[in-house]
Amino acid sequence: MDPVLRDAPAVPTRTPGPRSVDARRVERLCHATGLLLVLSGLAHLVVFAVDGGPWDGPVSWRKPVTFGVSFGVTLIAVAWVTSYLRVGPRPRALLLAVFAADCVVEVGGITLQAWRGVPSHLDMETPFDTAVSMTLAVGGGVLVVLLTVFAVASFRHRPSGPAGMDLAVRSGFAILLVALASGAVMIARGVVLTRTGHQEAAYHSTAPLKPLHGVSLHAVLVLPALAWLLSRTPWSEPLRRRLLYAAIGSYLAAVIGAAVWAVLTY
């Protein structure tokens, strides 16, 4: 395809053939897996309503609920958003398959530990708990690598899609990098505190960064979804872009606010 046409702000077309078949197969797998993770999270919300117990803390039903919904939504979002990236079909299929498997491992480990009544992260009390905790930590590292690859790809070549989608995708991935960085800091600091015998401090050390992590995590869905919705309106392109700029600015303000709160309370 001509480079000029590839950079044109038009809705991307998927040509028939192996590329389309591979892409759609992986996307369906990610969508189905993401939906199951969301349903798992919602099911544990029912468990919480029946069983009760604390909502906060290292041992609660909150973790399988929030992680199930969050990972499921993120998996569906990434599978959709990466269709606008200039990534080869085979590398994208491989990266998405690994990402989906990693999401299942993360949610599965967290859910398992919730049913066992022990912390899922930073728990080194027994060899089994240590294995689960370290698996989740390594899985978090894999997530960072995979999503960083997609983020870099979004900036190397202009994403395709309707007007404004390139800006929305790049902004979403840029903000997502903040979520990855804050998550990595939480894991690293928690592991260090645990290894040095400060178990309770390790559990509490993640609290200041949780709002920043949570807010910035879903920009990769919210901003591209807004760009897609605006492209379906009869409004002029300048107006749609102004609204998108305002949304990105508002999202950045929320991220900055969460970052300031994290610094003040860390």
Side-chain angles (χ1 to χ4, degrees):
M1 182 181 293
D2 187 285
V4 175
L5 295 179
R6 289 173 65 90
D7 288 340
V11 177
T13 58
R14 295 181 174 85
T15 57
R19 179 185 185 279
S20 179
V21 171
D22 290 343
R24 290 186 180 278
R25 183 183 295 119
V26 173
E27 286 171 3
R28 284 197 297 268
L29 171 64
C30 291
H31 293 162
T33 304
L35 179 60
L36 289 176
L37 294 179
V38 171
L39 291 176
S40 173
L42 295 178
H44 282 89
L45 186 60
V46 177
V47 173
F48 168 72
V50 174
D51 186 62
W55 181 252
D56 294 318
V59 181
S60 71
W61 292 117
R62 169 188 57 82
K63 299 188 75 172
V65 171
T66 56
F67 277 82
V69 173
S70 182
F71 269 90
V73 170
T74 300
L75 176 57
I76 293 172
V78 169
W80 169 57
V81 170
T82 55
S83 66
Y84 295 111
L85 301 183
R86 308 303 173 86
V87 179
R90 289 184 179 179
R92 175 173 173 254
L94 176 61
L95 291 172
L96 284 177
V98 174
F99 183 61
D102 202 11
C103 288
V104 172
V105 170
E106 292 289 303
V107 175
I110 291 165
T111 303
L112 170 66
Q113 296 298 74
W115 280 97
R116 294 182 65 236
V118 297
S120 56
H121 294 82
L122 310 175
D123 184 4
M124 310 293 181
E125 293 297 324
T126 69
F128 182 80
D129 293 330
T130 299
V132 172
S133 182
M134 295 309 297
T135 297
L136 295 177
V138 172
V142 173
L143 293 175
V144 170
V145 172
L146 294 174
L147 293 174
T148 300
V149 169
F150 283 132
V152 171
S154 73
F155 284 95
R156 286 189 62 190
H157 303 286
R158 181 182 175 186
S160 58
M165 183 60 77
D166 55 340
L167 177 62
V169 169
R170 285 173 167 174
S171 299
F173 272 116
I175 296 174
L176 177 62
L177 292 178
V178 176
L180 299 180
S182 59
V185 170
M186 285 192 289
I187 294 174
R189 179 165 174 77
V191 169
V192 169
L193 288 171
T194 300
R195 293 295 189 183
T196 54
H198 302 87
Q199 189 70 60
E200 284 301 317
Y203 292 143
H204 294 295
S205 66
T206 61
L209 289 170
K210 284 181 179 178
L212 174 62
H213 182 70
V215 169
S216 54
L217 184 64
H218 297 295
V220 74
L221 169 62
V222 173
L223 298 178
L226 177 61
W228 184 86
L229 289 172
L230 288 173
S231 71
R232 265 61 185 174
T233 67
W235 301 332
S236 66
E237 182 175 331
L239 175 59
R240 296 199 302 268
R241 282 194 173 273
R242 284 196 297 271
L243 291 173
L244 185 58
Y245 287 140
I248 294 172
S250 299
Y251 212 110
L252 285 174
V255 171
I256 293 172
V260 171
W261 188 86
V263 171
L264 294 177
T265 59
Y266 200 65

